[in-house]
């Protein structure tokens, strides 16, 4: 019975094989099925490309901000602390006050030095007038000394002539030796007076040169300057400005709007320049650092829009942002202990690159965030 059935099936297949129409119909059916499969795969790829490949997403994203560290600019004791942690502040609000007495004393000393420098300039200007008068007076002294020299020279000449005549008379015995000695004494006196007159002339000329040198030196100090532009006054004025600045720095103010955090300041504490007193977080100027895989960044560009959600508010609250930049390297590249990949047992690990997304301030005002919160970020790759 079985052999009969096999024989019948064989005959049917032989007939079908010998029938060209049946073969053509079967081939057409197979091609149709293959075409449907290809079209289905194409449609699936198109749907995935158009719908699911227009964005990249990561949940490895965190809120960040450019915090303002409040530091002391001078030494001093804290008198008042006006704010506490979690407190909202506005730009210009007083945060703390440092004892001002030392700064006030320093300002008074600087102002005294400024007044002294101005007085010294006035004195130098007066000295110029005095030295000019001395130069003029020295001219009169020189003229007087020169006249004295001329007079002494005439007296000496007269004494020399008298002595010579008396000497001739003394040779004939017409006058006594005592009278000749008196004329010799007069001659010596006239010579001495001439020497004294010459010395006085030299002294007057030296005084004039000294006065001229002092005048030139004094003029060099004040030439081309006024009381407000002389170097000593400028240095003293700079010290006053610095003292005023130090006095103003005893009142510490908020540099921007934000929330106080990490306050390390107590009344009575002595602070030093550079010590961090507190931090102001600008909660209205937050951004998100989204860490995307390197394989996701091929089409990501600066300026593309992003939609973000926070674990704090859930999926119902969406934030809208814009890509503003890429980090200069991956987190592993800037790690304290970089990965050592040049080893025999190296395993490739997909790296992540931080992408910075700027958030909308209006949305932040409606739903405030805090630094460090987790975010879910999706970048629209078709946006410009």
């Amino acid at each position: 019975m079985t052999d009969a059935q096999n024989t019948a099936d064989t005959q049917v297949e032989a007939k079908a094989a010998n029938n060209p129409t049946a073969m053509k119909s079967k081939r057409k059916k197979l091609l149709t099925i293959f075409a449907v499969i290809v079209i289905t795969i194409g449609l699936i790829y198109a749907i995935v490309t158009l719908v699911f490949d227009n964005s990249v997403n990561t949940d490895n994203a965190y809120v960040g901000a450019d915090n303002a560290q409040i530091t002391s600019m001078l030494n001093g004791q804290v008198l008042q602390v006006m704010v506490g942690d979690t407190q909202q502040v506005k730009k210009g609000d007083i945060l703390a006050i440092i004892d001002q007495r030392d700064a006030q004393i320093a300002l008074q000393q600087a102002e005294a030095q400024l007044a002294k420098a101005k007085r010294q300039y006035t004195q130098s200007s007066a000295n110029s007038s005095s030295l000019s008068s001395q130069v003029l007076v020295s001219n009169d002294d020189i003229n007087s000394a020169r006249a004295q020299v001329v007079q002494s020279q005439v007296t000496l000449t007269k004494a020399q002539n008298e002595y010579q005549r008396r000497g001739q008379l003394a040779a004939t015995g017409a006058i006594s030796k005592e009278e000749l000695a008196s004329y010799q004494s007069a001659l010596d006196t006239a010579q001495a007076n001439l020497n004294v007159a010459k010395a006085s002339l030299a002294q007057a000329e030296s005084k004039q040169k000294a006065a001229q040198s002092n005048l030139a030196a004094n003029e060099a100090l004040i030439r081309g300057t006024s009381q407000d532009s002389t170097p000593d006054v400028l240095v003293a004025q700079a010290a006053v400005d610095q003292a005023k600045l130090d006095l103003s720095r005893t009142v510490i103010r908020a540099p921007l709007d934000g929330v106080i955090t990490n306050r390390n300041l107590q009344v009575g504490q002595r602070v030093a320049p550079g010590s961090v007193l507190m931090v102001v977080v600008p909660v209205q100027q937050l951004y998100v650092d989204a860490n995307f895989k390197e394989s996701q960044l091929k089409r990501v560009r600066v300026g593309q829009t992003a939609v973000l959600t926070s674990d704090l508010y859930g999926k119902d609250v969406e934030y809208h942002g814009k890509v503003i930049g890429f980090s200069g390297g991956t987190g592993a590249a800037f790690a304290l202990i970089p990965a050592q990949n040049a080893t025999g047992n190296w395993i490739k690990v997909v790296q992540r690159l931080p992408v910075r997304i700027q958030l909308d301030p209006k949305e932040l005002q409606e739903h405030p965030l805090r630094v460090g919160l987790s975010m879910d970020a999706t970048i629209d790759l078709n946006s410009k």
Side-chain angles (χ1 to χ4, degrees):
M1 190 67 178
T2 303
D3 294 338
Q5 290 179 351
N6 291 335
T7 303
D9 292 339
T10 302
Q11 291 176 354
V12 171
E13 290 176 358
K15 291 179 180 180
N18 295 327
N19 190 349
T21 303
M23 289 295 294
K24 187 176 181 180
S25 176
K26 185 176 181 181
R27 188 180 299 109
K28 185 176 181 181
K29 186 177 181 180
L30 292 174
L31 290 174
T32 301
I33 294 173
F34 179 75
V36 169
I37 294 173
V38 172
I39 292 172
T40 302
I41 293 174
L43 289 175
I44 293 174
Y45 178 78
I47 292 173
V48 171
T49 301
L50 296 176
V51 178
F52 298 101
D53 197 32
N54 286 334
S55 63
V56 289
N57 173 269
T58 182
D59 59 357
N60 188 354
Y62 304 94
V63 179
D66 294 329
N67 301 328
Q69 289 190 343
I70 308 302
T71 60
S72 174
M73 299 296 292
L74 67 161
N75 285 304
Q77 188 178 28
V78 179
L79 290 183
Q80 288 180 285
V81 180
M82 315 298 290
V83 295
D85 280 338
T86 73
Q87 182 174 337
Q88 290 271 358
V89 295
K90 297 291 184 180
K91 181 178 180 180
D93 288 350
I94 297 177
L95 305 180
I97 298 177
I98 300 176
D99 190 356
Q100 299 180 343
R101 289 174 293 181
D102 292 338
Q104 288 173 343
I105 292 173
L107 176 59
Q108 292 172 358
Q109 291 176 342
E111 289 175 341
Q113 290 295 329
L114 176 60
K116 181 180 179 181
K118 289 183 177 180
R119 181 171 297 181
Q120 287 176 343
Y121 178 85
T122 303
Q123 182 179 0
S124 297
S125 299
N127 286 341
S128 292
S129 299
S130 176
L131 292 171
S132 297
S133 300
Q134 290 181 13
V135 171
L136 295 176
V137 170
S138 64
N139 287 330
D140 295 337
D141 292 340
I142 290 174
N143 292 332
S144 177
R146 287 174 178 171
Q148 189 66 36
V149 169
V150 172
Q151 182 179 2
S152 299
Q153 183 66 51
V154 171
T155 302
L156 177 61
T157 302
K158 182 180 179 181
Q160 288 176 341
N161 293 334
E162 290 291 336
Y163 178 76
Q164 289 177 357
R165 286 196 300 270
R166 296 302 184 276
Q168 293 174 356
L169 294 174
T172 59
I175 61 173
S176 63
K177 293 182 178 180
E178 289 78 6
E179 186 177 359
L180 181 62
S182 64
Y183 282 101
Q184 179 66 48
S185 178
L187 176 62
D188 294 338
T189 301
Q191 182 64 54
N193 290 336
L194 177 61
N195 294 336
V196 170
K198 290 181 178 179
S200 299
L201 175 60
Q203 184 178 8
E205 290 176 344
S206 298
K207 287 182 178 181
Q208 185 184 51
K209 291 180 180 179
Q212 289 174 342
S213 298
N214 292 334
L215 177 61
N218 198 77
E219 286 292 331
L221 293 175
I222 63 175
R223 184 182 298 114
T225 62
S226 63
Q227 189 181 57
D228 294 329
S229 63
T230 185
D232 291 341
V233 173
L234 292 177
V235 171
Q237 183 64 56
V240 171
D241 295 339
Q242 182 64 54
K244 289 181 179 179
L245 181 60
D246 291 341
L247 181 60
S248 67
R249 285 172 173 170
T250 58
V251 179
I252 301 175
R253 299 180 182 272
L256 44 78
D257 299 348
V259 176
I260 300 297
T261 186
N262 198 24
R263 196 197 80 175
N264 299 316
L265 189 65
Q266 302 295 333
V267 175
Q269 177 181 347
R270 187 167 187 86
V271 295
S275 57
V276 180
L277 308 181
M278 62 189 75
V279 176
V280 179
V281 181
V283 293
Q284 301 302 324
Q285 301 176 16
L286 299 178
Y287 54 79
V288 171
D289 283 332
N291 302 298
F292 285 94
K293 296 178 181 179
E294 52 188 321
S295 57
Q296 295 178 295
L297 297 176
K298 180 179 179 180
R299 296 170 55 193
V300 178
R301 299 291 184 271
V302 173
Q304 292 176 339
T305 59
V307 178
L308 305 98
T309 58
S310 170
D311 294 348
L312 178 63
Y313 299 107
K315 301 294 183 181
D316 295 334
V317 177
E318 289 186 347
Y319 296 88
H320 297 84
K322 182 174 66 174
V323 176
I324 61 174
F326 300 85
S327 175
T330 65
F334 296 112
L336 183 61
I337 303 178
Q340 294 295 327
N341 296 329
T343 58
N345 58 350
W346 172 74
I347 298 176
K348 182 178 180 179
V349 178
V350 177
Q351 299 297 311
R352 289 181 180 267
L353 185 73
V355 177
R356 180 155 297 183
I357 302 173
Q358 187 69 51
L359 299 178
D360 187 351
K362 294 181 179 179
E363 295 178 346
L364 287 173
Q365 188 172 4
E366 295 175 359
H367 299 90
L369 295 173
R370 293 296 183 266
V371 175
L373 293 180
S374 299
M375 301 288 287
D376 186 283
T378 301
I379 298 177
D380 184 3
L381 299 179
N382 287 336
S383 61
K384 295 183 180 180

